[in-house]
């Protein structure tokens, strides 16, 4: 736009007639990408790439690894292996290791891919071990319920359809019918909030928490 503002169209058309621009072929593009990606990795001191989710993030890590030879790994969560599995076999083959957040996920991969690939899949759960912090402080574990005599169910998640929060509310309804004493807190925000609030209003017993993200 700045060039068009600075020069008359006739002058720009004359340049197009005189200069012949040759488009870049795939080899040239690959060399440029390899150089630029390698430059960024070197500048940032990155020696290994780890991506969360086997979809676009792992694809980027795979491309960077292919261009530079740097090792990479990735974590599989849910939809990235249950719904969208494009290039997943290639990523499993190329990755140094793969982390699954549950044993169920690892078994799912084992059913769909060769055992040699699944051997590199390690289960590392999402969460913390409170006992590690208790041992570090020397204090005894504290697991006090929110209300004495009641179980407390806590759900921290984005209010998306695939999180299954309506199923949690139905389960709470079942517990209520069975006269189980409990409270439930849902922490999050998302497009399903109005529908979930309406469902909670119908059930009339669920403790809903405010937005905390």
């Amino acid at each position: 736009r700045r060039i068009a503002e600075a020069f008359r169209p006739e002058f720009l058309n004359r340049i197009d007639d005189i200069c012949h621009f040759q488009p870049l072929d795939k080899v040239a593009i690959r060399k440029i990408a390899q150089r630029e990606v390698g430059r960024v990795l070197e500048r940032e001191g990155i020696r290994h790439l780890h991506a969360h989710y086997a979809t676009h993030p792992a694809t980027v890590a795979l491309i960077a690894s292919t261009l530079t030879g740097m090792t990479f790994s990735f974590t599989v969560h849910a939809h990235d292996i249950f719904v969208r599995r494009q290039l997943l076999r290639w990523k499993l083959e190329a990755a140094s290791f793969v982390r699954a957040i549950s044993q169920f996920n690892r078994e799912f991969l084992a059913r769909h891919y060769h055992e040699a690939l699944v051997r590199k899949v390690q289960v590392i759960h999402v969460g913390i071990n409170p006992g590690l912090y208790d041992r570090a402080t020397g204090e005894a574990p504290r697991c006090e319920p929110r209300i004495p005599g009641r179980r407390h169910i806590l759900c921290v998640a984005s209010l998306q359809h695939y999180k299954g929060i309506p199923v949690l509310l139905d389960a709470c309804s079942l517990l209520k019918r069975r006269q189980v004493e409990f409270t439930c807190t849902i922490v999050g925000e998302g497009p399903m909030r109005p529908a979930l609030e309406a469902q909670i209003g119908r059930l009339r017993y669920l403790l809903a928490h405010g937005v905390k993200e």
Side-chain angles (χ1 to χ4, degrees):
R1 189 179 64 181
R2 292 182 179 178
I3 294 177
E5 292 174 353
F7 299 97
R8 295 177 61 85
E10 295 82 0
F11 177 75
L12 297 178
N13 292 336
R14 184 60 176 166
I15 291 179
D16 289 337
D17 293 336
I18 297 174
C19 300
H20 299 280
F21 297 95
Q22 182 177 358
L24 296 173
D25 57 19
K26 292 182 179 180
V27 175
I29 294 174
R30 180 185 178 92
K31 289 182 178 179
I32 294 173
Q34 183 177 10
R35 181 187 63 191
E36 294 303 315
V37 172
R39 182 179 299 173
V40 172
L41 296 178
E42 182 179 1
R43 183 186 68 219
E44 299 296 330
I46 299 173
R47 294 174 295 182
H48 178 84
L49 295 172
H50 184 81
H52 273 271
Y53 296 100
T55 49
H56 306 307
T59 299
V60 173
L62 172 65
I63 293 173
S65 175
T66 303
L67 290 173
T68 65
M70 180 172 291
T71 58
F72 81 99
S73 55
F74 59 95
T75 297
V76 297
H77 288 260
H79 72 278
D80 52 336
I81 59 173
F82 301 143
V83 180
R84 304 174 63 185
R85 296 194 288 271
Q86 291 86 347
L87 305 178
L88 183 54
R89 180 180 296 277
W90 185 8
K91 296 170 188 175
L92 289 171
E93 292 174 348
S96 298
F97 66 90
V98 178
R99 173 201 174 192
I101 66 169
S102 66
Q103 185 62 34
F104 181 87
N105 283 8
R106 189 183 190 281
E107 293 173 356
F108 179 87
L109 293 174
R111 291 195 301 270
H112 289 80
Y113 298 95
H114 194 275
E115 179 61 27
L117 298 179
V118 181
R119 288 196 194 103
K120 65 174 66 176
V121 180
Q122 303 296 323
V123 177
I124 304 177
H125 299 288
V126 176
I128 62 172
N129 182 357
L132 297 177
Y133 296 90
D134 296 328
R135 286 196 294 271
T137 60
E139 298 178 359
R142 295 188 300 272
C143 299
E144 300 177 358
R146 183 181 179 86
I147 299 176
R150 290 187 178 185
R151 299 283 185 179
H152 182 214
I153 302 170
L154 172 64
C155 174
V156 182
S158 59
L159 307 185
Q160 305 281 349
H161 175 74
Y162 56 79
K163 293 297 184 179
I165 298 177
V167 178
L168 170 62
L169 299 184
D170 290 340
C172 289
S173 177
L174 178 62
L175 290 175
K176 188 67 175 181
R177 291 198 301 271
R178 293 180 178 178
Q179 298 183 341
V180 176
E181 292 292 329
F182 73 97
T183 58
C184 181
T185 301
I186 298 174
V187 182
E189 184 58 279
M192 284 199 67
R193 184 184 184 95
L196 294 173
E197 288 179 337
Q199 185 176 358
I200 292 171
R202 291 194 300 269
L203 298 176
R204 291 178 178 273
Y205 62 80
L206 184 62
L207 173 65
H209 209 68
V211 179
K212 289 185 179 180
E213 281 204 321

